[in-house]
Each structure stands twice: as C-alpha cells, then as structure tokens.
C-alpha cells in the first residue's frame, strides 16, 4: 500500500494558491522551486491576476491547464475548504495547508473550524500536510515548499527531519548543514489533521536513502501508530533522534494552545524511548551532535569507550561526565598500553582517558591517530573518542590519509569531539566527509553521543514484544482476593487482622503481635498517610485504640461525610521501602513503575518506568537505575537486600496487571518492603483502582 504522504512528494504539477508579490511566503516558495530546478510545472493561482512572478496566473484550481497534483494553500483559513473542494473536483491529489485557525489557539471559532475541517478531509479523501504548518521539502525530488529562501537547492543526504514546529525546520536545517548534515526530507507537520507524525515516519523508513530520523515532537496524537512506526525504524536499524516538549506543566499547556497537541505523561514517553531505542535529546543543539555521531553508520558491540586527549583538564571533565552519564570507561589491556608507549612522553601515565601531553611522532606517523588505532584494536574497547577540533585550527587532526587509515583500520565507531563549540574552519566539512569521522562539539556532548550509539546499538533490529490478551478474573481485583492473588505472584502481605471499629482494633493488633501498624479503611483515605490514616510502632492495645480514634477524628475533620469501614492491624516489617506500580497510561498503554517508596516518594522522585510487558532483564535494569539500588546492595556495612525476590515480585505484579487490565486501571504497592537476602519481600500497602 502506497504511503499517503508519498503523493505529495511525487507531485508533477504544483499550484500555489494565494500567489502574490505582496507576501514573501508564496514569492519565496515559487523562487525556491525555480532555483532548485523542480522538474514539474508550477501554476500560480490568484483570481485578481493574469500574470505573476513572470508566468501566467490562474483564477482558481478549476482553471489550470492540467490538474494539480499538489496545492499549496497560502490563503486565509475561511477560504480553505471551498478551494480544496473545488480542487478535488478537478483532479487535485494532495495539499499543504499553511493557514492557522483549525483547532489551534484555543478560540472557539478555531476549534469549531478544526472539527468541521476534519469532516471535510474525511469526505474529500486526499492527503493534507498541516494545517498550521510552514511546509516541507523533498530534497531529491526538488520539491521545496518552504517559505525561507535558504531552504532550497540542498545537497541530498541520509537525514529526515520531521517537526511539529514549523520555524524549527528552518533553524535546524541551517545549523545542520553548517555542521555537515544532509537531508532527504524536511517536513513541518503542523496540526496533523490528515497526515500525522507516523505517516511521515513510515514514508522515510521505507525510503532506502534515509538512514536517520530527527523528530521535534510537541504531542503524539496517535500513540499506537507512532509506536508501530518506531518499531519499524528499530527493526530497520534506522535511529530516531528526537526532542519532545512537555517536561513541564507550562510546556504542556503551551503545546495545547498553539498546536492542539496533547503532550501526555513525559515519563511514559521516556519509557517509549527506552523500548523503541529512541534517542531523546535535551536540546536542539544536542540533536545535531547525536545525528552527526550516527552518520558514520557504525554501531558498537558494547558500551566501553576509550578517550584520547592532550589535556589533563579534559581528562578530569571526562571522568565527571562519564560518571554523570553512566558511561563505561574501558580498561586498557597490557598489549594496548605497550602499543601506545612509543607515542607518548616517557613520564606519561598510560590510562583511559589518556592525557598524552605533547604526543611523540614515530617514523612520520601521527601519534594521536596511532594511539586511537591501538585503542580500536583492543578487544576491551567498543568505541574510540579523539578529543580534537575540526581541522583548520592550531591543533587540528592529522592529514586526511592518516585519519582515513585510522577509520579504515576498524569497524568500531571512532569520533572526534572538541572541548568546546567552535566556528567551523574553512575546509573542515570537506575533511569530515573525506575521512568519515564525525566532529562533535563539546566534551559532554561527546560522552552523551557515544552512550547514544550503544543505547541504539543494543536495541537495533530488536523485535518489540507484543502485549498478551488479558485472561484474569474480575474477583481477583479487590479485597482479600487481590491480596491472595498477589501473594501467589510472590508479593505476600504482612500478617494482618481487621477490626470493624476503633473499639475492636486493640484485640486485632494483639493477634498480629506488637509492635504493630494501625491503618484506617475508607474510600476517602486512598492515600492513607496524607489524611493521617497510618500509625506505626504501636506497642499495646490501649495505644492501638487511641491511634484509631485519632485517625477517625482527623479524617472526619477533612471530610465529615467520610465512610470509615474499619481498621487494619499489621505486623511491622523492616526493610528497604520501594514503590511498585502498574497502570494503563492514557496514551502509551500499560506501564510498570518501580521506585523509592514510603511517604517521601513524590519528594524524592527516584523512579524508573518501562512499557509492559517487561522481562526480568528489563526489571533488573530498572532497579539498577534507582538511587536506592545502592542501599539494596548493602550500604555502609548494611546487609544486601533480597534482590531475587524483588525481581520475581515485580515480574509477578507486571504479569498480574496485564492479565487483569480489563478491570484494573492502576495497582500500586507502597511501601513494598525488601528484606535482607534470603528473607523475601512484603507488600505492606496495596492500592488498586478499578475501571
């Protein structure tokens, strides 16, 4: 089946609807098409002109000498629907709608027009880019429908840029070209009322000339379709390098206002990135560095990096950045150390990262290149990073032949990174192309790019696991049946006794043994600690009764209509406190959450998230990402926690939720107490939200 977006880029006739000399958008687009050598026909459309831009002008889409394959609609929003209907009646196949006012901006008029326009698009059945976009360009097809003059006559390459921000296209392509990036397609998608992000992704994934995807995402309107496309890119070995707005509440509100997008839960989006190998960037500048690092078209077989520098200060920074970014610094073999020794001063301490000081040339060979070659030959090294500016500066890389020889001596990624951003010297891009060595800017950027290569390399070609159909029983989703079902999955509850009222809680506490924990049971006390509904270390029956009465008083003060169903007495359990949960994210589906637990959970925010289903390896990685993992390993003489029981319990909850998600929207255990090794875990407080 032909991708609907391909219709736009296959256009042999283009109509510019709203052609006028008074506006630079139609004028620049016409000039870009002419300058770039678009091989098809371009028809300006304006009912008030017979000629414009030095060529004949036509009054409407019905008056063209041949049907338009693509109409560029640069006219006010109220006129768009009528012009499109007339066009489709006369053979129009696709369109780009630049106008805003179709659901964006928050005005009632815009919202209503957007809803009506959606119906129109469903009726006329042609693919539309936009509305509220700035156009697009197919570089090989020489279709340049973007209104900035510098976005024209570009040299084709392997990078596709798809952005929901129209202006970002202009800035990113300019900056990218200045650094040596070349593009296959650049697309601003706008409000995506017809073609959406996934349509464009599928288009470029199917394009054999496109090797990398760069995405600027404000909101993912069709998450399932997006994830399917991301899975196809991963299977094809085409990295997706993305930046997404919406980390903050203000950003999410802004995205809704100006593009109609719903940014969704950013943490869940990060879980999507982890599952599908999407490199999620912090800044647009970092996107360029990441994209450059992938243009060498090499992926590492492991995470271990060797760094070559001529600066002790850079070595210190590299140690800091590697620790911050969890980058793995390779251990050099004795053979590598001996191979390097002739190229460094006698007092040089050979280690990784290495500060060579003033490297020593041997037999006319470039010492830095030979050191990097030795790194690359080491079986314990997966990637090589050479700290150096792009050629043209005082301390440039060696001649092209030496660098090419280095690159050709290995199939491992070898990149260069400058200590700081700098101006590109004359001839620098030619050197970069000729040697196939990416030149990145910034020490931390170099570390993060190397990590990204391994992040994607570890996942490339991977099949995405499918979500099994739920087959659980509804009666297992609440009360004692829920506790029993989770206990069978490796998540036993502590010894518990229930009391109907505060008078009976003393005897209930005595049955579980002192010290005990007392908890209130009420639909209005879902999060018990927030309403004073938990009291720990109760030592006798009178204290239990007093604690229960105090809980009643506190809850009634908050909600005088609260329904108090009784109280629980539980044995006190010692161990590391974790949060464990599974829920159905509104956009991305079932997810698993593991983090530091207890009353400080929202303050500490030590959490790891994965899409479900999750394997034991996924769960092990999640635990390793947490700050509390240090405590689990045995902190400052403490005994190691029962990680095996923890992993089994997390897997049990994940599988239970997937099996019962027909009836459960959310299930949470906080705290989950992890005892010392061999003693297991205990689900102290279980909270389930039914659909």
């Amino acid at each position: 089946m032909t991708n609907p977006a391909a219709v736009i880029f296959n256009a042999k006739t283009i109509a510019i609807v709203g052609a006028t000399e008074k506006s630079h958008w139609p004028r620049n687009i016409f000039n870009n098409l002419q300058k770039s050598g678009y091989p098809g026909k371009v028809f300006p459309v304006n009912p008030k002109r017979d000629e414009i831009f030095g060529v004949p002008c036509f009054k409407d889409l019905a008056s063209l000498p041949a049907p338009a394959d693509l109409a560029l609609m640069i006219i006010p929003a109220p006129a768009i629907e009528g012009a499109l209907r007339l066009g489709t009646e006369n053979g129009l196949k696709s369109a780009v709608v630049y106008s805003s006012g179709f659901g964006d901006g928050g005005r009632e008029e815009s919202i209503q027009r957007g809803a009506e326009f959606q119906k129109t698009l469903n009726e006329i059945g042609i693919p539309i880019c936009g509305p509220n976009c700035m156009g697009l360009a197919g570089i090989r097809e020489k279709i340049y429908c973007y209104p900035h003059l510098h976005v024209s006559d570009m040299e084709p390459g392997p990078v596709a840029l798809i952005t929901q921000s129209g202006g970002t296209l202009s800035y990113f392509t300019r900056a990218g070209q200045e650094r040596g990036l070349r593009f296959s397609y650049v697309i601003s998608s706008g409000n995506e009322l017809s073609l959406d992000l996934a349509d464009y992704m599928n288009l470029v994934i199917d394009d054999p000339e496109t090797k990398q995807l760069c995405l600027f995402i404000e909101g993912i309107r069709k998450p399932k379709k997006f994830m399917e496309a991301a899975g196809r890119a991963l299977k094809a070995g085409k990295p997706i390098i993305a930046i997404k707005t919406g980390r903050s509440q203000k950003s999410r509100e802004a995205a809704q206002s100006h593009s109609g997008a719903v940014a969704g839960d950013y943490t869940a989006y990060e879980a999507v990135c982890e599952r599908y190998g999407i490199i999620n960037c912090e800044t647009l500048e970092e996107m360029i560095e990441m994209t450059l690092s992938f243009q060498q078209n090499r992926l590492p077989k492991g995470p271990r990096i060797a760094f070559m520098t001529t600066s002790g200060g850079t070595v210190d920074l590299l140690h800091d950045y590697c620790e911050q970014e969890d980058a793995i610094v390779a251990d050099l073999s004795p053979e590598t150390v001996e191979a390097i020794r002739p190229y460094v001063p006698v007092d040089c301490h050979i280690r990784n990262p290495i500060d060579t000081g003033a490297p020593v040339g041997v037999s006319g060979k470039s010492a830095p290149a030979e050191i990097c070659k030795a790194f690359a030959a080491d079986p314990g090294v997966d990637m090589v990073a050479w700290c150096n500016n792009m050629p043209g500066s005082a301390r440039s890389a060696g001649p092209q032949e030496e660098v090419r020889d280095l690159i050709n001596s290995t199939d491992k990624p070898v990149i260069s990174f400058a200590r700081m951003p700098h101006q590109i010297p004359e001839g620098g891009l030619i050197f970069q192309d000729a040697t196939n060595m990416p030149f990145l800017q910034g020490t931390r950027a170099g570390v993060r790019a190397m990590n990204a290569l391994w992040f994607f390399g570890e996942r490339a070609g991977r099949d995405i696991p499918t979500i099994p159909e739920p087959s659980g029983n509804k009666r297992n989703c609440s009360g004692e049946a829920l506790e029993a079902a989770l206990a069978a999955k490796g998540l036993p509850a502590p010894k518990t006794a229930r009391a109907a009222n505060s008078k009976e809680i003393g005897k209930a506490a005595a049955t579980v043994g002192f010290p005990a924990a007392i908890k209130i049971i009420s639909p209005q006390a879902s999060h018990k600690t927030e309403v004073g509904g938990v009291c720990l270390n109760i030592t006798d029956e009178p204290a239990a009764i007093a604690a229960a009465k105090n809980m009643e008083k506190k809850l009634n003060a908050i909600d005088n209509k609260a329904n108090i169903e009784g109280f629980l007495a539980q044995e006190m359990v010692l161990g590391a406190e974790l949060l464990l949960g599974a829920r159905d994210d509104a956009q991305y589906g079932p997810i698993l959450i593991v983090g530091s637990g207890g009353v400080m959970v929202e303050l500490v925010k030590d959490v790891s998230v994965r899409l479900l289903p999750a394997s034991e390896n996924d769960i092990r990685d999640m635990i390793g990402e947490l700050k509390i993992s240090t405590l689990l390993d045995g902190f400052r003489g403490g005994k190691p926690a029962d990680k095996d029981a923890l992993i089994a319990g997390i897997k049990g909850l994940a599988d239970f939720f997937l099996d019962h998600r027909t009836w459960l929207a959310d299930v949470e255990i906080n705290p989950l107490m992890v005892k010392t090794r061999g003693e297991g875990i205990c689900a102290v407080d279980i909270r389930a939200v039914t659909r």
Side-chain angles (χ1 to χ4, degrees), residues 268-484:
Y269 162 75
E270 290 178 314
V272 172
C273 293
E274 193 284 330
R275 172 61 52 87
Y276 291 92
I278 299 171
I279 293 96
N280 191 36
C281 297
E282 295 180 351
T283 65
L284 289 168
E285 296 89 340
E286 184 177 73
M287 277 184 72
I288 289 178
E289 309 308 322
M290 295 293 190
T291 308
L292 274 172
S293 69
F294 278 93
Q295 285 212 156
Q296 194 174 64
N297 203 26
R298 295 181 179 185
L299 295 176
K301 295 179 175 61
R304 299 164 298 183
I305 312 168
F307 297 94
M308 208 298 297
T309 85
T310 57
S311 162
T314 301
V315 167
D316 295 341
L317 284 175
L318 283 169
H319 281 301
D320 290 343
Y321 294 147
C322 286
E323 182 173 315
Q324 292 169 16
E325 302 296 336
D326 293 323
I328 305 299
V329 176
D331 293 323
L332 302 180
S333 70
E335 293 80 8
T336 300
V337 172
E338 289 308 309
I340 290 172
R341 195 170 300 282
Y343 298 98
V344 298
V346 292
D347 59 346
C348 176
H349 181 31
I350 300 174
R351 57 184 178 180
N352 182 31
I354 186 171
D355 165 21
T356 66
V360 180
V362 178
S363 301
K365 293 182 178 180
S366 165
E370 293 301 312
I371 292 169
C372 288
K373 197 181 295 184
F375 282 162
D378 191 324
V381 171
D382 301 303
M383 295 172 276
V384 178
W386 179 354
C387 179
N388 209 351
N389 285 5
M390 186 173 273
S393 69
R395 304 180 69 83
S396 67
Q400 288 187 16
E401 295 77 14
E402 292 174 343
V403 177
R404 272 201 301 266
D405 184 48
L406 162 63
I407 300 300
N408 293 336
S409 71
T410 181
D411 61 356
K412 299 176 181 179
V414 182
I415 70 164
S416 179
F417 67 94
R419 298 180 210 182
M420 297 174 62
H422 61 90
Q423 188 172 1
I424 303 301
E426 185 178 352
L429 297 184
I430 295 173
F431 190 101
Q432 181 171 256
D433 289 341
T435 58
N436 192 29
M437 176 184 275
F439 283 83
L440 311 187
Q441 297 203 358
T443 308
R444 185 168 180 263
V447 173
R448 285 179 59 81
M450 300 299 262
N451 261 4
L453 287 171
W454 168 236
F455 171 80
F456 182 75
E458 190 180 21
R459 293 161 176 77
R462 180 188 293 181
D463 288 318
I464 301 300
T466 56
I467 301 175
E469 290 296 320
S471 58
N473 197 309
K474 184 178 181 180
R475 66 172 175 267
N476 291 333
C477 296
S478 61
E480 294 180 359
L482 173 63
E483 289 189 9

Side-chain angles (χ1 to χ4, degrees), residues 119-193:
K119 296 176 183 177
T120 299
L121 294 178
N122 294 337
E123 291 174 13
I124 64 178
I126 65 170
I128 302 290
C129 177
N132 189 25
C133 72
M134 288 184 67
L136 41 75
I139 312 307
R140 292 193 310 276
E141 297 87 346
K142 298 186 180 298
I143 290 181
Y144 288 89
C145 304
Y146 192 84
H148 291 180
L149 289 174
H150 73 268
V151 183
S152 65
D153 203 19
M154 298 162 65
E155 189 175 346
V159 180
L161 171 66
I162 307 166
T163 167
Q164 292 173 335
S165 165
T168 297
L169 186 153
S170 175
Y171 284 93
F172 192 85
T173 53
R174 184 192 287 271
Q177 287 178 97
E178 290 173 352
R179 296 290 305 287
L181 296 184
R182 296 181 181 87
F183 299 90
S184 55
Y185 295 93
V186 293
I187 300 164
S188 72
S189 60
N191 289 6
E192 299 181 355
L193 294 187

